[in-house]
Amino acid sequence: MAPQLLGTELIVGERRGRIVEVEAYEGANDEASHASGRVTDRNRIMFGPVGRLYVYRSYGIHWCANVVAHPQGQPGAVLIRAIEPIAGIDAMWGDRPKAKKVTDLGSGPGKLCAALGITGSDNGVDLLSASATIRLVRGVAPVAETVVSGPRVGITKAMAKPWRFAVAANANTSRPRL
DNA sequence: GACAAGATTGACT
DNA sequence: GTCAATCTTGTCC
């Protein structure tokens, strides 16, 4: 499901971005996942229905967004690591004045949340509902582009799983490049 | 109730 | 390349 998410678009009000990099996180057999243990206050969204937004605070500073990918009761989510800005770019600059280039606006999990205006208060939103403030819609699938996979970033457990997927040669992906 | 660690980023050398 | 900022969560006493 993670690689299939590449190319889909995330829409928040006027802002729109194309997902170009993701990472998959599973449940009990994935030590690096927030849902590797039992249900807690934080990870309960990961155990819920597919298509919900799971937002968590990273390093006490940033927000990171995930899309729940497994049926209710089976934890699993896909972390959105990078987006390619498509619309509402002026608004994104407003929330990320430090970005030097357009490709810096969403080239990282914490960055894209800031650029799109996603915060902890959006945790649990149904991304597939037409009336939701944050939506996920079908976009341009990376057919002609190469999808590459590799080890996930920033984790200290389960390093062997090559569950990071990105659109190769896309300038908006995060570092280190695959 | 206390404490260690973290799915990161940006500034500085 | 190195390093600090910053605070929530989960685990242990």
Side-chain angles (χ1 to χ4, degrees):
Chain A
M1 160 117 190
Q4 287 178 30
L5 223 41
L6 293 173
T8 59
E9 293 178 16
L10 197 55
I11 303 176
V12 186
E14 301 248 38
R15 299 138 129 143
R16 178 185 287 242
R18 178 174 181 244
I19 299 173
V20 293
E21 181 178 337
V22 298
E23 275 179 9
Y25 285 90
E26 227 254 340
N29 62 359
D30 183 5
E31 285 288 303
S33 173
H34 287 169
S36 61
R38 49 185 81 267
V39 181
T40 65
D41 238 12
R42 178 177 65 160
N43 69 21
R44 70 189 159 77
I45 299 295
M46 284 184 74
F47 288 82
V50 172
R52 301 290 257 270
L53 181 68
Y54 166 47
V55 183
Y56 68 89
R57 180 76 98 173
S58 173
Y59 290 88
I61 307 173
H62 311 287
W63 294 110
C64 292
N66 301 246
V67 179
V68 177
H70 285 185
Q72 184 146 19
Q74 298 171 37
V78 178
L79 169 69
I80 301 172
R81 287 197 59 85
I83 58 159
E84 174 182 340
I86 292 178
I89 294 175
D90 285 344
M92 293 187 191
W93 277 111
D95 278 337
R96 279 191 46 71
K98 292 171 204 151
K100 295 185 174 65
K101 299 171 295 190
V102 179
T103 52
D104 289 332
L105 288 172
S107 61
K111 297 179 185 178
L112 83 260
C113 281
L116 294 173
I118 295 173
T119 70
S121 63
D122 299 310
N123 192 31
V125 167
D126 180 3
L127 296 168
L128 306 180
S129 163
S131 59
T133 51
I134 303 178
R135 302 200 312 288
L136 203 55
V137 302
R138 202 145 194 70
V140 184
V143 280
E145 300 159 298
T146 309
V147 173
V148 290
S149 72
R152 293 176 290 184
V153 179
I155 54 172
T156 57
K157 298 170 185 169
M159 321 270 283
K161 299 182 194 300
W163 288 356
R164 178 187 184 201
F165 302 90
V167 175
N170 187 296
N172 298 269
T173 54
S174 69
R175 300 186 348 166
R177 288 280 169 70
L178 280 172

